[in-house]
Amino acid sequence: LYAGFKDIPAVDRALDGMGAAAAGLVVAMAIKMAIPVLKKRPLSAAPVILLAFGAVAILRYPLFPVVIVLGPIAVLLAWKLR
Protein backbone atom coordinates (compact mmCIF):
# COMPACT_ATOMS: atom_id res chain seq x y z
CA LEU A 1 0.00 0.00 0.00
CA TYR A 2 2.77 2.44 0.94
CA ALA A 3 4.67 1.74 -2.30
CA GLY A 4 1.74 3.03 -4.33
CA PHE A 5 1.47 6.33 -2.44
CA LYS A 6 5.04 7.05 -1.30
CA ASP A 7 5.70 9.51 -4.11
CA ILE A 8 2.75 11.75 -3.26
CA PRO A 9 4.07 14.75 -1.26
CA ALA A 10 0.92 15.06 0.86
CA VAL A 11 1.19 11.44 1.99
CA ASP A 12 4.87 11.90 2.78
CA ARG A 13 4.16 15.00 4.89
CA ALA A 14 1.26 13.27 6.66
CA LEU A 15 3.48 10.32 7.60
CA ASP A 16 6.19 12.70 8.83
CA GLY A 17 3.59 14.40 11.01
CA MET A 18 2.37 11.07 12.37
CA GLY A 19 5.93 10.10 13.23
CA ALA A 20 6.47 13.36 15.09
CA ALA A 21 3.19 12.93 16.95
CA ALA A 22 4.10 9.37 17.95
CA ALA A 23 7.52 10.51 19.19
CA GLY A 24 5.89 13.27 21.23
CA LEU A 25 3.47 10.80 22.80
CA VAL A 26 6.32 8.47 23.73
CA VAL A 27 8.27 11.31 25.37
CA ALA A 28 5.17 12.54 27.23
CA MET A 29 4.43 9.04 28.54
CA ALA A 30 8.03 8.52 29.61
CA ILE A 31 7.98 11.78 31.57
CA LYS A 32 4.61 10.91 33.11
CA MET A 33 5.99 7.53 34.25
CA ALA A 34 9.33 8.92 35.46
CA ILE A 35 8.04 11.68 37.73
CA PRO A 36 6.56 9.44 40.48
CA VAL A 37 9.60 7.16 40.41
CA LEU A 38 11.99 10.09 40.69
CA LYS A 39 10.00 11.51 43.61
CA LYS A 40 10.08 8.20 45.48
CA ARG A 41 13.66 7.07 44.72
CA PRO A 42 15.66 9.82 43.03
CA LEU A 43 19.13 8.45 43.73
CA SER A 44 18.51 4.99 42.32
CA ALA A 45 16.16 5.92 39.47
CA ALA A 46 17.91 8.94 37.98
CA PRO A 47 21.09 7.18 36.81
CA VAL A 48 19.13 4.40 35.11
CA ILE A 49 16.78 6.88 33.43
CA LEU A 50 19.71 9.02 32.25
CA LEU A 51 21.60 5.99 30.95
CA ALA A 52 18.55 4.76 29.05
CA PHE A 53 17.88 8.20 27.59
CA GLY A 54 21.50 8.67 26.61
CA ALA A 55 21.78 5.27 25.00
CA VAL A 56 18.56 5.51 22.98
CA ALA A 57 18.19 9.22 22.23
CA ILE A 58 21.79 10.37 21.98
CA LEU A 59 23.83 7.31 21.01
CA ARG A 60 20.96 5.85 18.92
CA TYR A 61 21.15 2.33 20.34
CA PRO A 62 18.06 0.19 19.70
CA LEU A 63 15.57 0.24 22.56
CA PHE A 64 15.34 -3.55 22.99
CA PRO A 65 19.02 -4.16 23.86
CA VAL A 66 19.04 -1.12 26.12
CA VAL A 67 16.06 -2.48 28.07
CA ILE A 68 17.61 -5.97 28.20
CA VAL A 69 20.83 -4.54 29.70
CA LEU A 70 19.41 -1.83 31.96
CA GLY A 71 16.34 -3.77 33.15
CA PRO A 72 18.25 -6.21 35.38
CA ILE A 73 20.48 -3.38 36.59
CA ALA A 74 17.44 -1.34 37.61
CA VAL A 75 15.87 -4.32 39.37
CA LEU A 76 19.12 -5.04 41.22
CA LEU A 77 19.42 -1.40 42.30
CA ALA A 78 15.83 -1.32 43.49
CA TRP A 79 16.30 -4.57 45.40
CA LYS A 80 19.57 -3.46 47.04
CA LEU A 81 18.33 0.03 47.99
CA ARG A 82 14.90 -0.84 49.37
Side-chain angles (χ1 to χ4, degrees), residues 5-81:
F5 296 102
K6 68 180 179 179
D7 295 327
I8 300 172
V11 172
D12 189 44
R13 287 191 302 270
L15 290 175
D16 286 345
M18 284 186 242
L25 288 171
V26 168
V27 169
M29 185 56 65
I31 292 170
K32 188 175 182 179
M33 291 170 53
I35 288 172
V37 174
L38 286 170
K39 285 181 181 177
K40 187 174 181 183
R41 296 175 186 243
L43 295 178
S44 62
V48 175
I49 291 172
L50 290 174
L51 281 172
F53 177 78
V56 175
I58 297 170
L59 299 176
R60 302 284 200 186
Y61 288 132
L63 181 61
F64 184 71
V66 171
V67 170
I68 293 297
V69 170
L70 288 180
I73 293 171
V75 170
L76 183 64
L77 273 173
W79 181 65
K80 290 282 188 181
L81 297 174

